Amino acid sequence: MNFIKTQVEDHIFHIMLDRGKSNAMHIEMIQELTEAIERANDDPAIEGLILSGKENFFTSGLDLITLYQYDEVQMQNFWTAFISLLHKLVAFPKPSVSAITGHSPAGGCVMAICCDYRLMADGEFIIGLNEVPVGIIVPESIFKLYSFWLGEGTAYRSLLEGKLFKPSEAKEIGLVDEVVAFNRIQNLAMRKIKSLTQFEKNAWRTSKLNFRAHLIAEFEKDQTETIRQVLEQWWRPSTRAILKTIIENLTQKKA
């Protein structure tokens, strides 16, 4: 594993995102995350999953700098892999907690809200889905995931505006469950997941999958047309222009 770290502690599987300063995601990172989640799912000794980032960043979302250079086949493979990863997280039958250790826009927010419980570090951080202003089409499955926590009206308005939220605002609308100090987030995530794993396992897991049945079904649909729409928009000159401006700004900040 080059872009994530994993460890098992007291039957809890920890996945820590570890790629550069902001944990931006490219296809290799997506593949490693998928492999780790499959391992956590398949190992009967694993009772739950904690997904976390590093100080100041959970993940900034998709690595636009790298993805901008992908060709059509690479982009097709990326989106197929990303939606498959979300499906595995949404349908993960055991308890899952996200420790949102900092900024978590776009793809970072999507990953975090796949989990059953979400703790976010207090501070000048943002979370939410801002794809539309960037020129990226939001798949219906991700709208359904956002709506699962926010309700359809709030999700609809927030997505079309590309609205990003501060931690306290995110808690107020149900996007996160708790806002805590960064130095307490791992301990509290562990405490929360241990409280969830104390219940009778079959009853808890079956209930979770029942409650998520419609959401899981969205990710199990044939995604061919969805990915076609996303990719068609990705290659539009208007989107490429927006992405180029974003990338130039990001590059200048890194310099």
Side-chain angles (χ1 to χ4, degrees):
M1 297 291 186
N2 297 313
F3 307 111
I4 65 173
K5 295 177 180 177
T6 63
Q7 71 176 50
V8 178
E9 177 189 2
D10 196 16
H11 301 287
I12 303 303
F13 193 80
H14 295 259
I15 300 177
M16 292 146 286
L17 308 179
D18 187 31
R19 181 173 181 251
K21 177 183 177 181
S22 65
N23 290 328
M25 296 182 286
H26 61 350
I27 192 164
E28 291 84 1
M29 189 176 182
I30 297 297
Q31 290 166 340
E32 288 188 4
L33 281 164
T34 301
E35 181 182 332
I37 291 161
E38 288 174 345
R39 177 186 164 194
N41 182 68
D42 296 342
D43 187 343
I46 300 298
E47 297 181 355
L49 169 71
I50 294 177
L51 182 62
S52 61
K54 59 184 67 173
E55 189 170 6
N56 296 325
F57 278 95
F58 179 67
T59 162
S60 60
L62 308 188
D63 182 357
L64 297 179
I65 295 175
T66 299
L67 268 59
Y68 189 82
Q69 304 299 326
Y70 282 0
D71 61 27
E72 292 185 17
V73 172
Q74 288 173 312
M75 281 305 299
Q76 174 89 26
N77 291 340
F78 175 85
W79 276 101
T80 300
F82 184 59
I83 291 177
S84 176
L85 168 66
L86 298 179
H87 175 219
K88 290 181 186 299
L89 268 173
V90 165
F92 187 73
K94 306 172 187 180
S96 59
V97 171
S98 53
I100 307 166
T101 48
H103 294 298
S104 188
C109 175
V110 175
M111 276 216 309
I113 63 176
C114 290
C115 295
D116 301 305
Y117 199 83
R118 299 156 314 285
L119 299 101
M120 187 169 186
D122 196 10
E124 294 300 313
F125 304 125
I126 49 93
I127 186 171
L129 301 185
N130 61 333
E131 281 84 350
V132 170
V134 175
I136 297 174
I137 289 176
V138 177
E140 184 179 3
S141 55
I142 291 178
F143 169 65
K144 294 294 186 184
L145 176 60
Y146 218 35
S147 302
F148 187 78
W149 300 111
L150 272 61
E152 288 196 349
T154 300
Y156 181 89
R157 289 187 293 272
S158 300
L159 279 167
L160 290 181
E161 295 174 12
K163 188 171 176 60
L164 295 170
F165 302 93
K166 297 176 181 178
S168 59
E169 295 171 330
K171 182 178 184 296
E172 186 176 339
I173 63 172
L175 191 55
V176 303
D177 296 293
E178 287 187 66
V179 177
V180 302
F182 171 78
N183 61 4
R184 299 182 64 218
I185 196 167
Q186 294 293 348
N187 287 339
L188 292 174
M190 191 67 171
R191 183 185 302 174
K192 181 62 185 180
I193 204 160
K194 294 303 287 185
S195 73
L196 296 177
T197 59
Q198 71 178 334
F199 300 114
E200 201 284 321
K201 290 178 175 50
N202 185 65
W204 194 94
R205 295 175 186 179
T206 301
S207 296
K208 171 180 175 173
L209 295 180
N210 285 344
F211 300 158
R212 289 179 171 230
H214 293 298
L215 182 57
I216 293 168
E218 285 295 327
F219 284 91
E220 290 178 342
K221 290 179 179 177
D222 185 348
Q223 301 292 328
T224 304
E225 176 59 19
T226 294
I227 293 173
R228 187 200 65 76
Q229 283 186 351
V230 171
L231 294 181
E232 182 179 301
Q233 179 66 29
W234 178 264
W235 296 112
R236 285 182 184 273
S238 55
T239 299
R240 302 297 282 179
I242 295 170
L243 293 171
K244 186 176 180 182
T245 300
I246 293 171
I247 289 166
E248 286 173 352
N249 291 334
L250 289 172
T251 304
Q252 287 172 3
K253 287 180 181 179
K254 289 182 177 180

